Amino acid sequence: MYKFRKSGWMSWMLQASVVALLSACGGANNSTVSTAPQVQTSNPPPASTGSSFPQNVLAQTTKTASPLLSASTAKGFASSTSPAPQILFTDTLSAPTTGGENNQGGYLSIFGKNFGSASDLGTNTRVYINDKEVANYRYLGNAKSSAKTGLQQITVQVGPLGGAPAGSALPVKVVFNGTSSNTDNTFTPSAGRVLFVSLSGSDTSAVVNNIAKPWRSLQNMSTLKGAYFAMQAGDQVVIRGGAWHDTNGQDKTWMRFGGGTYARNGSPSAWIHITAYPGPVNGNAIEDVHYTTPASASGGIAGPWSAIAGTTGEYISISNLRMDVAGGAARDAAPVNFQYTAGPWRVVNNELGPWVAGNSATLNAAGVSGHGKGNQVLGNNIHDIAGTSELQNHGIYADTTAQDWEVAYNWIHNITGGSAVQFNDNEGGAGSYTLPHGGIWQGFTGIRIHHNWLENAAKYGINFNDQGSTHMGTYEARSWNNVITGTKSYPIRINSTATTQNMWFAYNTIYNAMTGASGYKAYIMDEGFGSGAGIHNKFYNNIFAFGPGTQSGTTWLIDYSTPSTTASYDFKQNLYFSNGQSVPLPATLGDNLAVSGNPLFKDAAAANYSLQASSPAVDAANQPDIFAVNDDIGNTARPQGNSKDIGAFELSGAVIPIPTPVNGMCGAANGMSFSAAPSSQLCSSGVASLVSFTGKSWAWSCSGSNGGTTASCAANLASNPDPSTPPSVRQQYSGVITAGTSVHQMPGNVSAGNWILVTVGVNNNALGISGTLSDNQGHADISTFTSLGRIYVDGMGTDLYAAKATASGIYKLTVGIPNQGSIHLVEIQNADAVNLLDVPVATSTGPRFAGTALSSSTQTSTRANDLVLALVDLGFGNAIPFSTNGAWQLVSQESGTAITSRIYGLTPNATGAFGISGTVGGSGAGYPGWEAAVIVIKGQ
């Protein structure tokens, strides 16, 4: 049997026989929530030209807007003669309708799909505002992110619109070949003016609304002239093409919003809009406005500094510009930097990058960065953002006070300086920071990240982080229909101590991520509060697929500090593909509806992550959504078949066989004996459940798929421990790490086959992030060592690694890190030849001046002949006293370093869960606090 996945005209006819009138859901709506406008999510069919997505000739289908933002309106279509145009968003929400070029007002750019081609503009493709046709047409073609989003752009001069009054929101409509678009995007006429700026202009003779008499400067603080000083609410600032390098704006920028008499603000119905001149009527050539931030300068267009937040730089739109940064620029020289604006800003259809690091000592901003409420970053091409070894220069960076942000339809790629998208509470203000217009900032709430292509970042894909360990506030975000690929570290990271967290991820495709060497390797990293009554982070219907570059040892989820639970980190019906690596079963995440297997992308090598007809992701998302997602990344309506497809892409136009039922079958672990819960070979077919202990045995099930049966499985509890000789420490070394490169050598020869335990504690850094490691026995870089874990406490990081001695003789280790620290090398004999650890490393941290140190207990060990080691770092201070409780013995003492770091050992001769505790002498732990790691070495 076969089922038909509906597309094209036949699909429309089939649907039309059932539904008389089809409607489509909202695009980037221009309505407001409180005072901040919110973009509405739209779900259009793909563009007819210029799209990199699989084309689907679907006539309009009923699609419900995602309720992630304020409101949405059903959208109808006029006829079935051609795919309906779909408006997703516009660059500005208001502009003058008189004045300007030929007294026809300002310019408006419209972004969406199915607009036709350039030759259709003004004939087959027309634009209406409140059913009044615009004055003239300037451009129809690809938008700046179209290579990955398929977006098209129309730019028009709006004209008088029949004398429409200022302040009234009017519907915008595109008509292509007689077929009308949705009308839920609005445009508001303003009483503003048009201010032209040109490299050939004059700041002394410029005239408002006169294209022939432009200003020379956006802002010139030395003369207090330029368009900025003439600017008022509702104005449109139109910049002519050319190579711009001005730095005579406030604080060596192109333009920065000032305070007092120099404050400038738009309003909800009269935005200030800065844009490129769209070229002549019917010229189809927007002028290239190319601004480069020179060396030592402070960036492009910037918002206010903190002292004047809430008084200036609000309701600002920036569109159609090209901005980059030369080497040696200032640390926060972002092309677009909201700074401390109260918001909102719209940053639409700009090319931002490259940013060359050059000799800049520190770079910690982004292509778009800053604070504020209601900011929208839509349809930009942000690329080649470089940084320093700190990796703090990102694609998009939202700081403290950011809320109600939308990041959508952007292509963010080659971010060698940091993460693709980062939300970082740099000031530790969640739940306590006073907002510019009053009230308390609760945290990153109302964050919407969707329809983005995030590709190749030196750090994370999407990162939520707090710096202050606030232990209060709320993080609430939803991310859907994104592609994340090529991140060197975790594609998703949540490091928050907010007590309420609702971070939801649905229908994303993550492939070939975690490609760089790291102490921890995971697709999702939980580093903050992983559990608690208010923690409800969810991951539904995503594709998590390892690629050829995914580092060996990568897993699905790592709990760095507070362990998560299946209630706090809820995984449901994701597709998992380990690409041959050994990883925990999805059931260990609680994902008992998981789909496992190759997602069968059409051409992953060519970055085409759409699905083949036989992909197991097709029609597999048959559980209720955590929130409504009614299109895919290419704006194809969901579902196209009986159910939605897992991941960012919905298959359309394919005929696929109905899958054969697959019965669950127990694996080789069934019937065997284990002293701890088995974790591998649970099922030979089907999806394994969590393993439970019945009091006498271990039990689990293997659920079938496609209507197949479920098998019940069990294993015995092992009662007799392995009596072989326990592991022991053969020799040890401790030493000082100096900034730069340092070499460390064992005091005696090592024996081939023995394990070398390496601990590296570094001030204000982490070896796994910005350091190098190699030895004289074939381990050429940090990725060739086995990562055991990492601890971090307020500026001090300790990484734990292991390597096997490949030959008897001298053992030398070389460390490269730009900070000082301490190191231990411990040779261990008689350990298991395959796995050094019996159970994962358990870590704990504590504050400065603490008089006690207490580690987390490990998981229950499986062998009575294990060796238990405990690393205890007591922070800065020479030989801070520490008295252990119990039978712990000192194994490795710090040697000549300002950081007190020791390793203790214990041979328990029994299974159990182990931790170390003791009393810290003197004035307690040094700065920044203590950290401990318990390492259970597996016996043979």
Side-chain angles (χ1 to χ4, degrees):
M1 293 180 62
Y2 292 83
K3 61 185 176 184
F4 183 72
R5 306 214 72 198
K6 298 178 284 293
S7 70
W9 303 116
M10 182 175 292
S11 165
W12 184 85
M13 293 296 290
L14 289 171
Q15 295 171 62
S17 68
V18 180
V19 182
L21 179 63
L22 303 178
S23 62
C25 73
N29 198 321
N30 302 331
S31 61
T32 62
V33 177
S34 299
T35 60
Q38 296 294 300
V39 174
Q40 293 301 316
T41 307
S42 56
N43 302 306
S48 59
T49 61
S51 173
S52 66
F53 295 99
Q55 296 300 298
N56 168 25
V57 200
L58 180 68
Q60 206 71 15
T61 59
T62 302
K63 294 168 281 185
T64 303
S66 171
L68 304 179
L69 301 163
S70 58
S72 63
T73 308
K75 295 178 240 176
F77 67 95
S79 74
S80 61
T81 59
S82 62
Q86 187 73 44
I87 302 175
L88 292 167
F89 53 88
T90 60
D91 64 344
T92 185
L93 304 185
S94 66
T97 53
T98 61
E101 190 177 9
N102 299 316
N103 200 33
Q104 297 295 315
Y107 309 100
L108 174 69
S109 291
I110 303 165
F111 300 88
K113 304 287 182 74
N114 298 331
F115 290 163
S117 62
S119 61
D120 293 311
L121 187 61
T123 55
N124 299 322
T125 301
R126 295 176 181 269
V127 175
Y128 298 85
I129 299 176
N130 201 32
D131 288 328
K132 302 294 183 182
E133 189 170 8
V134 297
N136 56 68
Y137 299 89
R138 302 300 177 104
Y139 176 80
L140 194 166
N142 289 337
K144 292 188 184 294
S145 69
S146 65
K148 295 299 183 181
T149 64
L151 285 181
Q152 290 183 286
Q153 173 183 356
I154 298 174
T155 302
V156 301
Q157 190 175 16
V158 294
L161 302 178
S168 298
L170 307 175
V172 180
K173 178 173 63 178
V174 173
V175 177
F176 174 52
N177 283 340
T179 301
S180 296
S181 72
N182 52 301
T183 57
D184 56 343
N185 288 268
T186 62
F187 171 85
T188 301
S190 77
R193 302 85 43 82
V194 181
L195 284 60
F196 293 94
V197 185
S198 171
L199 288 167
S200 60
S202 168
D203 288 341
T204 58
S205 61
V207 176
V208 167
N209 287 322
N210 192 335
I211 192 172
K213 293 187 176 181
W215 275 266
R216 167 56 184 83
S217 307
L218 265 183
Q219 183 185 56
N220 190 327
M221 295 304 296
S222 63
T223 62
L224 299 181
K225 294 183 182 297
Y228 179 87
F229 295 96
M231 198 163 61
Q232 61 188 35
D235 282 355
Q236 187 170 83
V237 179
V238 179
I239 307 173
R240 302 301 301 267
W244 293 80
H245 302 87
D246 295 1
T247 60
N248 47 12
Q250 180 78 46
D251 299 328
K252 297 186 70 176
T253 63
W254 196 13
M255 191 193 86
R256 185 175 190 182
F257 285 87
T261 58
Y262 303 138
R264 298 292 185 271
N265 288 297
S267 72
S269 60
W271 288 62
I272 292 173
H273 179 206
I274 302 169
T275 190
Y277 179 64
V281 175
N282 298 324
N284 214 54
I286 297 175
E287 290 189 353
D288 181 23
V289 178
H290 179 194
Y291 177 77
T292 298
T293 298
S296 77
S298 297
I301 299 174
W305 51 95
S306 58
I308 59 173
T311 68
T312 184
E314 299 178 14
Y315 296 96
I316 308 301
S317 179
I318 300 170
S319 69
N320 301 333
L321 306 181
R322 180 160 68 102
M323 306 173 74
D324 52 36
V325 184
R331 55 183 288 273
D332 60 349
V336 178
N337 196 335
F338 306 140
Q339 292 284 3
Y340 285 86
T341 181
W345 284 39
R346 291 169 69 91
V347 180
V348 181
N349 195 54
N350 301 282
E351 181 183 353
L352 305 175
W355 183 335
V356 179
N359 61 356
S360 297
T362 300
L363 293 173
N364 52 0
V368 179
S369 67
H371 306 248
K373 178 179 180 180
N375 296 336
Q376 296 164 295
V377 185
L378 308 172
N380 300 280
N381 179 1
I382 304 173
H383 64 95
D384 297 286
I385 307 296
T388 64
S389 60
E390 296 173 317
L391 297 181
Q392 295 296 337
N393 214 29
H394 312 285
I396 294 175
Y397 174 31
D399 211 328
T400 305
T401 77
Q403 57 184 323
D404 299 329
W405 276 41
E406 182 165 23
V407 177
Y409 295 100
N410 301 287
W411 181 22
I412 304 174
H413 53 116
N414 300 331
I415 310 302
T416 60
S419 301
V421 176
Q422 169 157 303
F423 285 77
N424 178 38
D425 180 9
N426 184 56
E427 301 187 38
S432 63
Y433 195 99
T434 301
L435 293 165
H437 292 301
I440 299 299
W441 180 63
Q442 293 303 312
F444 296 121
T445 59
I447 307 303
R448 305 297 181 247
I449 304 171
H450 62 94
H451 294 85
N452 300 286
W453 193 286
L454 311 179
E455 179 180 9
N456 298 337
K459 214 168 184 181
Y460 314 119
I462 298 176
N463 179 35
F464 287 90
N465 185 66
D466 65 43
Q467 295 283 18
S469 298
T470 58
H471 297 194
M472 62 176 68
T474 298
Y475 278 26
E476 186 274 322
R478 301 182 185 183
S479 303
W480 71 99
N481 284 343
N482 300 291
V483 166
I484 306 176
T485 183
T487 61
K488 288 189 176 298
S489 192
Y490 327 120
I492 296 175
R493 178 179 184 252
I494 302 174
N495 179 24
S496 172
T497 59
T499 51
T500 300
Q501 296 177 32
N502 290 287
M503 316 292 281
W504 295 357
F505 297 80
Y507 295 100
N508 301 287
T509 292
I510 303 176
Y511 172 70
N512 199 37
M514 196 64 247
T515 62
S518 175
Y520 294 99
K521 302 169 187 175
Y523 262 36
I524 300 168
M525 171 59 86
D526 157 33
E527 288 195 43
F529 282 179
S531 60
I535 312 300
H536 300 288
N537 300 323
K538 298 177 183 292
F539 306 83
Y540 284 24
N541 304 123
N542 304 283
I543 291 178
F544 300 125
F546 291 2
T550 302
Q551 287 282 301
S552 176
T554 299
T555 189
W556 307 122
L557 168 70
I558 287 179
D559 293 316
Y560 177 74
S561 51
T562 309
S564 63
T565 67
T566 55
S568 62
Y569 271 63
D570 178 13
F571 291 78
K572 185 172 288 184
Q573 208 161 60
N574 302 287
L575 185 150
Y576 304 83
F577 177 55
S578 65
N579 200 21
Q581 292 198 39
S582 177
V583 295
L585 292 170
T588 63
L589 303 172
D591 194 346
N592 295 320
L593 299 174
V595 177
S596 296
N598 191 326
L600 296 179
F601 299 132
K602 284 188 176 178
D603 191 350
N608 182 351
Y609 306 130
S610 59
L611 303 174
Q612 297 182 40
S614 56
S615 168
V618 172
D619 279 0
N622 54 24
Q623 297 297 307
D625 289 343
I626 46 175
F627 53 84
V629 177
N630 298 309
D631 72 342
D632 74 349
I633 189 173
N635 303 111
T636 296
R638 296 180 189 263
Q640 289 290 301
N642 293 331
S643 300
K644 298 176 183 178
D645 299 345
I646 293 174
F649 293 87
E650 182 81 5
L651 177 69
S652 60
V655 178
I656 61 175
I658 294 177
T660 302
V662 177
N663 295 328
M665 298 179 63
C666 297
N670 186 51
M672 296 181 66
S673 297
F674 299 93
S675 56
S679 59
S680 61
Q681 296 184 308
L682 298 178
C683 301
S684 60
S685 176
V687 177
S689 67
L690 293 175
V691 178
S692 62
F693 184 59
T694 66
K696 295 182 179 180
S697 62
W698 308 101
W700 69 96
S701 62
C702 298
S703 59
S705 58
N706 306 324
T709 59
T710 297
S712 297
C713 315
N716 300 317
L717 176 66
S719 57
N720 296 319
D722 190 326
S724 64
T725 303
S728 61
V729 174
R730 183 170 182 267
Q731 62 175 323
Q732 61 78 221
Y733 161 89
S734 62
V736 178
I737 296 174
T738 56
T741 300
S742 56
V743 179
H744 308 272
Q745 181 175 329
M746 279 288 198
N749 291 339
V750 298
S751 296
N754 283 350
W755 285 96
I756 310 298
L757 173 67
V758 181
T759 75
V760 180
V762 183
N763 174 36
N764 198 30
N765 216 309
L767 184 72
I769 294 176
S770 57
T772 61
L773 195 67
S774 61
D775 66 14
N776 65 329
Q777 295 213 6
H779 302 97
D781 57 58
I782 204 167
S783 66
T784 59
F785 290 77
T786 300
S787 174
L788 305 180
R790 179 179 175 231
I791 328 170
Y792 189 83
V793 54
D794 193 21
M796 184 168 69
T798 298
D799 293 273
L800 290 78
Y801 294 95
K804 292 193 75 172
T806 57
S808 298
I810 295 172
Y811 184 83
K812 290 183 179 181
L813 187 81
T814 303
V815 179
I817 192 77
N819 298 77
Q820 64 174 333
S822 62
I823 186 170
H824 294 277
L825 303 179
V826 180
E827 183 184 3
I828 300 170
Q829 58 190 358
N830 299 323
D832 185 89
V834 178
N835 298 304
L836 177 64
L837 298 185
D838 189 358
V839 295
V841 170
T843 64
S844 292
T845 63
R848 185 182 183 186
F849 305 128
T852 60
L854 179 66
S855 76
S856 297
S857 296
T858 65
Q859 298 178 17
T860 302
S861 63
T862 66
R863 296 171 180 266
N865 66 333
D866 285 346
L867 168 67
V868 184
L869 300 178
L871 171 72
V872 180
D873 290 341
L874 296 177
F876 282 89
N878 287 313
I880 297 172
F882 180 64
S883 299
T884 62
N885 298 324
W888 293 93
Q889 300 293 317
L890 184 64
V891 170
S892 183
Q893 173 78 39
E894 75 276 352
S895 176
T897 175
I899 299 175
T900 297
S901 176
R902 303 186 183 104
I903 295 179
Y904 298 86
L906 178 69
T907 304
N909 296 314
T911 60
F914 303 99
I916 188 171
S917 63
T919 303
V920 184
S923 58
Y927 176 84
W930 63 266
E931 54 187 28
V934 179
I935 309 156
V936 181
I937 307 299
K938 186 176 183 180
Q940 294 183 358

